[in-house]
Amino acid sequence: MMTLHERDHSYSERVVVLAPTARDAEVTGRLLSAAGIEGVVGHGWGHAESLIADGAGALMVTDLTLTDPGFGQLLRALEAQPAWSNLPVLALCRQGLDTPALREARLRNLTVLDRPASTRSMLSAVMTALRGRRWQYQIRDQIDSLLRADRALRLADQRKDEFLATLAHELRNPLAPIRTGLQLLARQPDNPARMKSVTDMMERQMNQLLHLIDDLLEVSRISTGKLKLQRERLDMRSVVDTALESCQPLIARGGHQLSVSLPDHEVLVDGDLTRLAQSVSNLVNNAAKYTPDGGRIEVTLQSVDQEAVLTVRDSGIGLPADMIARVFDMFAQVNRSLERSQGGLGIGLALVRSLVQMHGGEVLASSPGPAQGSTFTIRLPLLQESLPPQQPAAMPAPAAAKALRVLVVDDNEDAATVLGLLLSLAGHEVRVEHSGQAALNVAPAFKPQAIFCDVGMPGMGGYEFAARLRQDPNFAKTLLVALTGWGSEEDKKRSRAAGFDEHLTKPASEEVLTALLARL
């Protein structure tokens, strides 16, 4: 017999027949069958109730069955129907609508036929009842659909609230020591050893902030189809080496025992080094976050059945059974208590899955249970071609920077002032302006050789400034760099179209700024 949930979602147009005699039931069933309608005979009230519960399109009774004392049992079952259901009842009565038992029956969806009824009128009534029953099923399905949508919206709203709370927590974590570090620097400006320790700490925390922002942007680019892979012939061993370099600080901080097992031969795939290394580092960082200090982390790489198989195994907090199926979902976290300061936003594993799938592979999770560690496995198709590896082109050593005239344009006065100070310390002559129009006014006299310009300024924005500046032949060869918080491919294309030579996302490192100015 069906469960209650299955009954609620059943679909049946069979007609349950309750006839006073076996002969009546047989004749009625034969007539229904000849018309292509499924009829099933109920042998007693309890059996009829069970048939209706398992799914029915209509119920057919006679005046004799209505007077049976057991009819009350079936009537209670009909009154207990869900809100969407109103099972059609067809009653064949010798006295028609004047049958006394009909008044006592209190049936809500009743069609009365004179008994004996002609075959044509009976079948017509049955088909009409079944059409009405189909509408009820459609209403039920619409209600179910609305309820599912409502549950999904409520879940999404709950996840949004949890995500915002987690985001606030994760942003405050690095911001708190940065703020404290600034206060320490202000109080002890003449203590070089202390300043070095504090600035190193602030640099680490700033990198953590940038990592959070980059993960959010990556997820957005993938979900909108804007992320493009830069594929090449890759040895997965180099992917592991690159990934582990970025994981070392977190592993060292937790005192974890890291073991790495790589094969002696190449494990070649067609992939994007940056994205695959990002995926592996996310798995290793995840293992480090959720493994108690001093725990074990194992990274192994193998070639198995035409696949590159990379496994990250840890001795950490493990995964409950209900989390294994959804651990790669957006914003999913095993431990939302926020007891661990590096809990993360719950997007790292979702990012791994998306990036690995873009490479034609899959990532799987397994765990014996809570407190028993976890294993994450990336499987990628091996590269079948036997092409010789390409040697990376040697990067020319940057030339020593010379003093230049540099114009900084940004409506954020603090950001503009700090960038101006940094460039001044490098020996450049710097002019700072806070609007596009002001920068255009000073440019002819200042004759900047390089300009760093924000894009999103009020009034004259960066794009308009660039377009108008390039109209002057005197600035046709000036290095024009967009320095902005917008970093999508569309933003970069728009910058180039406006006349910018380069597009940097804030905050740009000193090394990148120096390398750009070294071109001149």
Side-chain angles (χ1 to χ4, degrees):
M1 185 176 292
M2 295 184 184
T3 65
L4 179 61
H5 177 76
E6 290 171 333
R7 288 174 179 173
D8 288 345
H9 292 82
S10 63
Y11 184 95
S12 175
E13 293 190 7
R14 65 182 180 177
V15 178
V16 178
V17 179
L18 269 174
T21 68
R23 172 65 178 167
D24 289 337
E26 180 184 349
V27 171
T28 303
R30 196 162 54 242
L31 291 174
L32 293 174
S33 178
I37 301 170
E38 180 186 1
V40 58
V41 177
H43 302 290
W45 299 110
H47 183 221
E49 181 183 359
S50 176
L51 290 172
I52 292 171
D54 286 343
L59 170 65
M60 183 174 289
V61 297
T62 69
D63 47 5
L64 295 178
T65 53
L66 288 175
T67 58
D68 191 298
F71 181 69
Q73 175 183 348
L74 186 59
L75 184 60
R76 287 190 292 273
L78 292 175
E79 290 174 344
Q81 296 178 86
W84 62 267
S85 179
N86 192 5
L87 182 69
V89 178
L90 297 97
L92 287 83
C93 303
R94 293 187 182 278
Q95 297 178 332
L97 291 172
D98 296 328
T99 302
L102 292 178
R103 290 190 293 273
E104 300 176 6
R106 304 187 308 277
L107 295 167
R108 294 182 297 163
N109 189 2
L110 176 65
T111 300
V112 179
L113 300 173
D114 291 332
R115 182 185 180 199
S118 68
T119 301
R120 180 176 179 180
S121 61
M122 183 188 73
L123 293 178
S124 176
V126 170
M127 291 179 179
T128 300
L130 292 180
R131 281 197 297 271
R133 187 61 168 167
R134 291 185 201 115
W135 279 106
Q136 293 179 29
Y137 285 132
Q138 291 177 17
I139 291 172
R140 177 202 61 184
D141 294 342
Q142 290 173 357
I143 292 173
D144 286 347
S145 178
L146 290 172
L147 289 175
R148 286 195 299 271
D150 180 68
R151 286 192 294 268
L153 287 173
R154 291 178 183 273
L155 179 60
D157 187 61
Q158 177 186 346
R159 287 189 174 182
K160 179 261 296 179
D161 290 342
E162 292 172 347
F163 167 68
L164 291 177
T166 306
L167 177 61
H169 175 270
E170 291 301 315
L171 292 177
R172 287 192 183 104
N173 275 341
L175 286 175
I178 290 174
R179 183 175 187 177
T180 303
L182 291 171
Q183 294 170 345
L184 288 172
L185 292 178
R187 291 183 181 181
Q188 295 182 324
D190 299 325
N191 188 334
R194 174 62 61 86
M195 288 185 67
K196 178 67 167 61
S197 172
V198 171
T199 54
D200 286 348
M201 175 273 295
M202 293 171 69
E203 179 72 19
R204 288 194 302 271
Q205 298 301 324
M206 180 60 68
N207 288 335
Q208 175 68 8
L209 274 175
L210 293 176
H211 180 70
L212 291 174
I213 294 170
D214 287 343
D215 274 358
L216 287 170
L217 291 175
E218 291 288 75
V219 170
S220 175
R221 291 179 187 128
I222 291 173
S223 63
T224 55
K226 296 178 180 178
L227 182 67
K228 304 299 181 184
L229 298 179
Q230 305 298 319
R231 291 179 178 269
E232 59 179 321
R233 184 177 187 271
L234 283 181
D235 184 351
M236 281 296 294
R237 296 179 301 176
S238 64
V239 172
V240 174
D241 291 340
T242 302
L244 292 180
E245 286 178 5
S246 64
C247 300
Q248 285 300 330
L250 190 57
I251 293 173
R253 196 180 313 151
H256 300 306
Q257 305 170 33
L258 175 66
S259 65
V260 183
S261 176
L262 303 179
D264 296 330
H265 57 83
E266 291 182 322
V267 181
L268 298 178
V269 298
D270 178 29
D272 184 319
L273 173 60
T274 301
R275 304 307 180 188
L276 288 178
Q278 180 181 7
S279 300
V280 176
S281 67
N282 275 2
L283 292 184
V284 176
N285 282 334
N286 193 69
K289 289 175 184 177
Y290 294 106
T291 298
D293 292 351
R296 301 186 312 280
I297 300 175
E298 302 172 5
V299 180
T300 60
L301 175 66
Q302 305 175 73
S303 299
V304 180
D305 296 333
Q306 302 303 312
E307 288 185 320
V309 181
L310 184 137
T311 303
V312 178
R313 183 177 291 106
D314 63 65
S315 61
I317 66 174
L319 292 170
D322 64 325
M323 277 297 302
I324 291 178
R326 58 189 181 92
V327 71
F328 295 103
D329 292 346
M330 186 68 70
F331 309 140
Q333 287 184 326
V334 178
N335 181 3
R336 289 197 177 273
S337 66
L338 302 180
E339 292 173 349
R340 301 187 64 81
S341 63
Q342 62 272 40
L345 296 177
I347 61 177
L349 293 179
L351 186 58
V352 171
R353 178 175 63 180
S354 296
L355 291 173
V356 171
Q357 287 177 346
M358 290 179 70
H359 283 83
E362 64 175 346
V363 58
L364 307 171
S366 64
S367 174
Q372 299 184 62
S374 306
T375 301
F376 289 85
T377 303
I378 291 177
R379 293 180 172 272
L380 295 169
L382 286 173
L383 188 64
Q384 301 301 315
E385 302 174 5
S386 300
L387 300 175
Q390 297 180 354
Q391 297 297 326
M395 296 296 293
K402 60 182 179 180
L404 301 170
R405 293 184 302 279
V406 182
L407 177 60
V408 175
V409 190
D410 196 330
D411 65 306
N412 186 322
E413 295 187 11
D414 290 340
T417 299
V418 171
L419 179 57
L421 288 173
L422 182 64
L423 294 171
S424 296
L425 289 174
H428 303 295
E429 182 183 352
V430 180
R431 179 72 180 262
V432 176
E433 296 295 340
H434 302 300
S435 71
Q437 186 59 59
L440 282 179
N441 293 340
V442 304
F446 184 58
K447 295 182 174 60
Q449 296 163 283
I451 301 176
F452 293 95
C453 181
D454 184 29
V455 169
M457 296 183 293
M460 183 188 296
Y463 296 129
E464 182 182 352
F465 167 77
R468 293 179 61 177
L469 183 79
R470 291 302 194 195
Q471 292 174 3
D472 188 337
N474 294 319
F475 299 109
K477 296 184 179 180
T478 301
L479 176 64
L480 187 54
V481 181
L483 191 57
T484 173
W486 304 102
S488 70
E489 287 302 318
E490 286 73 14
D491 295 319
K492 294 176 182 179
K493 290 178 181 178
R494 188 177 178 187
S495 293
R496 287 192 290 271
F500 284 101
D501 298 300
E502 297 290 341
H503 184 109
L504 302 180
T505 53
K506 295 180 178 179
S509 68
E510 182 180 4
E511 292 78 6
V512 172
L513 299 176
T514 300
L516 282 176
L517 295 177
R519 298 179 184 176
L520 302 177

